[in-house]
Amino acid sequence: MTYAISDIHGCYDEYIKLLDKIGFSDDDTLYIIGDICDRGPKPIEVYKDAMSRKNVHVILGNHDYMVLQNLVSLMCEDDSGTDDSVSVWTDNGGRTTIDGILRLSDDEIMQLIEYISSFSKYEYLTIQGKKYILVHTIPQDFSEDKTFEEYDFYQLLWGRPDYNKRYFRDENTFLVTGHTPTRCIRSDGKYEVYKENGHIAIDCGCVYGGNLCAYCFEKDKVFYCSHD
């Protein structure tokens, strides 16, 4: 089976419980749609687990990018702009990730830099005749007539799509995104997956007291693990 999880944000215990719940095995494939780190208590543990699994593929999120940006500057002893970027990082929940990184050796930090550098910006999947575009987020003015390369890189990390709008004319094409907690999208304010207008939004706000969810593409089914 093929699954997607987004915005784990250091909720390692919930992540492991969710993998156990879906019976995730070496025969399955998991896409993590950005933001493994920050806010929650165990971001480095999530990175290490994902890194150890050959069948887990990660798409870059804005929080992952902040880790990479600051670690590269620090390891290269290039402090130009570092104070400002670290401040932005900590203001966005980076303290738990920083604390975890301070417990790593230099070799482990370099391995983490190399790993995050390998994350893709987006992924295309075709499963059972349906097309899926997996990306952390998109800008509000996104258009299917433009390629991802035509957008500013930061728009694919920080943008906020219009979830009331269908972006693809083909009703068998779906955008699978994270970044925006679904309680901010759904009219009922629930921490559950939003599936309307060709969107499958799966950031169910685990770190805010909501759920971590895994979406199964073949079954069109959602599995939840609530925040402890």
Side-chain angles (χ1 to χ4, degrees):
M1 294 293 158
T2 310
Y3 299 91
I5 297 175
S6 185
D7 294 79
I8 299 169
H9 280 305
C11 295
Y12 173 78
D13 294 343
E14 291 79 7
Y15 163 71
I16 294 299
K17 287 177 185 178
L18 186 55
L19 294 186
D20 289 342
K21 186 172 186 176
I22 64 177
F24 188 69
S25 74
D26 291 343
D27 295 325
D28 299 316
T29 301
L30 171 64
Y31 291 89
I32 299 177
I33 310 181
D35 287 2
I36 283 177
C37 60
D38 296 347
R39 305 194 193 283
K42 299 179 181 179
I44 302 303
E45 287 84 346
V46 184
Y47 276 126
K48 286 184 174 181
D49 181 86
M51 196 185 308
S52 72
R53 301 177 189 259
K54 294 182 179 179
N55 56 340
V56 173
H57 310 284
V58 187
I59 295 163
L60 189 70
N62 55 303
H63 286 265
D64 308 300
Y65 181 72
M66 285 189 285
V67 175
L68 183 62
Q69 181 183 36
N70 286 286
L71 285 185
V72 169
S73 294
L74 291 170
M75 294 301 286
C76 294
E77 297 182 351
D78 174 13
D79 61 0
S80 59
T82 300
D83 289 345
D84 287 343
S85 58
V86 169
S87 178
V88 171
W89 186 14
T90 54
D91 287 347
N92 281 275
R95 188 73 255 171
T96 58
T97 307
I98 293 168
D99 290 344
I101 289 169
L102 291 174
R103 294 191 290 269
L104 299 177
S105 67
D106 286 351
D107 285 345
E108 288 175 316
I109 292 173
M110 291 305 298
Q111 290 171 9
L112 183 60
I113 290 173
E114 183 178 352
Y115 181 57
I116 299 176
S117 297
S118 73
F119 292 177
S120 59
K121 295 179 183 177
Y122 53 86
E123 295 283 349
Y124 290 100
L125 301 180
T126 300
I127 298 174
Q128 297 177 348
K130 295 180 180 179
K131 297 177 182 179
Y132 301 91
I133 298 94
L134 283 58
V135 63
H136 186 60
T137 189
I138 60 169
Q140 191 171 26
D141 64 350
F142 181 83
S143 169
E144 66 175 312
D145 298 321
K146 294 173 65 175
T147 66
F148 280 104
E149 284 71 23
E150 294 179 77
Y151 290 96
D152 185 289
F153 173 59
Y154 291 93
Q155 292 180 291
L156 303 180
L157 296 177
W158 295 92
R160 298 287 181 186
D162 181 352
Y163 286 97
N164 293 311
K165 178 180 178 180
R166 178 180 291 278
Y167 287 97
F168 289 89
R169 292 180 285 271
D170 178 9
E171 294 191 358
N172 279 319
T173 298
F174 300 88
L175 274 167
V176 186
T177 57
H179 189 57
T180 302
T182 55
R183 74 165 183 176
C184 301
I185 305 169
R186 296 174 58 103
S187 59
D188 59 10
K190 291 183 177 180
Y191 281 121
E192 296 179 3
V193 167
Y194 174 86
K195 289 174 62 182
E196 299 286 345
N197 305 312
H199 293 277
I200 304 175
I202 63 172
D203 175 6
C204 295
C206 182
V207 77
Y208 300 114
N211 297 303
L212 192 64
C213 88
Y215 177 75
C216 178
F217 292 88
E218 288 86 354
K219 295 181 178 180
D220 187 26
K221 184 175 180 180
V222 180
F223 300 85
Y224 293 103
C225 178
S226 61
H227 181 77
D228 287 341

